[in-house]
């Protein structure tokens, strides 16, 4: 029965028509001494050549068209896409981490880079966002729950790097990849 539901969800997602742009809430990683992710607000996202452009909406209808205000994410820099039903949210992992551009400069401390962005559509817009991202990011597998017709992410076994008495746990390695400090 679960297999049939997953197949039906995958079929429904496959027939969803990709959009030229999507609107959703954007969240950036913690920075500037803030411990929690930073909610930027509603953004319009579209693909332009080999990049995704994100523009903050001033209100639901108006937005500025100053290209210098866009957060520009090179498609080749997106290394993973994970979907969480809670929220719902779609997390784009960036590797290497991206130097902030446009409005993101105001949210990130100097020298900090953006290692992930979270796109949170309304629940009824999730399938449309997924279909659109899948068409824009065809080189990646979108991981998420089978109930949405997606491929679950393989379970990783915990690991530790050891060298001359120093041990780095997986969390420490993640912080180093994100160019953040961790306590010894």
């Amino acid at each position: 029965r679960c297999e049939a539901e997953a197949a039906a969800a995958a079929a429904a997602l496959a027939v969803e028509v990709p959009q030229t742009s999507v609107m959703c809430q954007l969240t950036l990683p913690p920075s500037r001494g803030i411990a929690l992710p930073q909610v930027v607000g509603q953004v319009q996202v579209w693909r332009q050549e080999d990049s995704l452009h994100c523009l903050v909406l001033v209100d639901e209808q108006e937005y500025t068209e100053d290209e210098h205000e866009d957060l520009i994410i090179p498609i080749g820099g997106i290394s993973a896409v994970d979907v969480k039903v809670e929220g719902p949210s779609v997390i784009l992992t960036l590797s290497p981490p991206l130097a902030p551009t446009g409005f993101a400069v105001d949210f990130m401390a100097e020298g900090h880079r953006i290692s992930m962005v979270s796109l949170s559509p309304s629940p009824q817009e999730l399938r449309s966002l997924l279909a659109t991202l899948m068409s824009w990011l065809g080189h990646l597998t979108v991981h998420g729950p089978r109930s949405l017709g997606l491929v679950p992410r393989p379970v990783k076994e915990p690991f530790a790097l050891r060298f001359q008495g120093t041990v780095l746990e997986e969390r420490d390695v993640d912080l180093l990849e994100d160019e953040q400090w961790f306590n010894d």
Side-chain angles (χ1 to χ4, degrees):
R1 177 177 169 205
C2 289
E3 290 293 324
E5 289 174 359
L13 184 57
V15 297
E16 188 76 38
V17 178
Q19 305 298 308
T20 56
S21 71
V22 292
M23 290 192 222
C24 54
Q25 181 172 289
L26 177 77
T27 303
L28 293 173
S31 185
R32 296 191 183 272
I34 299 171
L36 299 173
Q38 304 177 87
V39 177
V40 173
Q42 284 294 111
V43 295
Q44 180 178 20
V45 182
W46 69 96
R47 180 177 177 164
Q48 186 173 325
E49 298 172 3
D50 292 333
S51 299
L52 297 185
H53 288 246
C54 303
L55 182 65
V56 175
L57 299 175
V58 175
D59 63 36
E60 289 298 318
Q61 300 300 321
E62 290 182 35
Y63 54 90
T64 62
E65 295 201 20
D66 181 1
E67 189 172 306
H68 300 293
E69 292 299 316
D70 295 359
L71 169 61
I72 300 171
I73 303 170
I75 288 176
I78 301 172
S79 60
V81 181
D82 292 285
V83 178
K84 308 284 184 217
V85 176
E86 309 82 34
S89 64
V90 178
I91 300 161
L92 305 178
T93 303
L94 309 178
S95 182
L98 178 70
T101 60
F103 63 83
V105 171
D106 296 335
F107 289 87
M108 303 299 292
E110 188 174 331
H112 281 210
R113 295 185 169 270
I114 301 170
S115 58
M116 59 71 68
V117 296
S118 175
L119 304 174
S120 301
S122 63
Q124 58 270 23
E125 294 292 322
L126 179 59
R127 280 198 198 283
S128 177
L129 175 62
L130 291 176
T132 302
L133 287 174
M134 290 168 87
S135 74
W136 292 345
L137 307 173
H139 65 290
L140 294 172
T141 299
V142 176
H143 292 281
R146 293 175 53 94
S147 62
L148 292 173
L150 301 172
V151 178
R153 181 161 295 284
V155 177
K156 293 191 302 187
E157 292 187 28
F159 69 91
L161 298 175
R162 301 173 196 288
F163 181 71
Q164 296 180 350
T166 301
V167 178
L168 295 179
E169 301 293 333
E170 184 176 4
R171 178 186 161 278
D172 300 329
V173 173
D174 289 342
L175 289 172
L176 285 172
E177 286 176 352
D178 294 343
E179 298 181 9
Q180 297 179 11
W181 297 97
F182 59 91
N183 291 334
D184 312 16

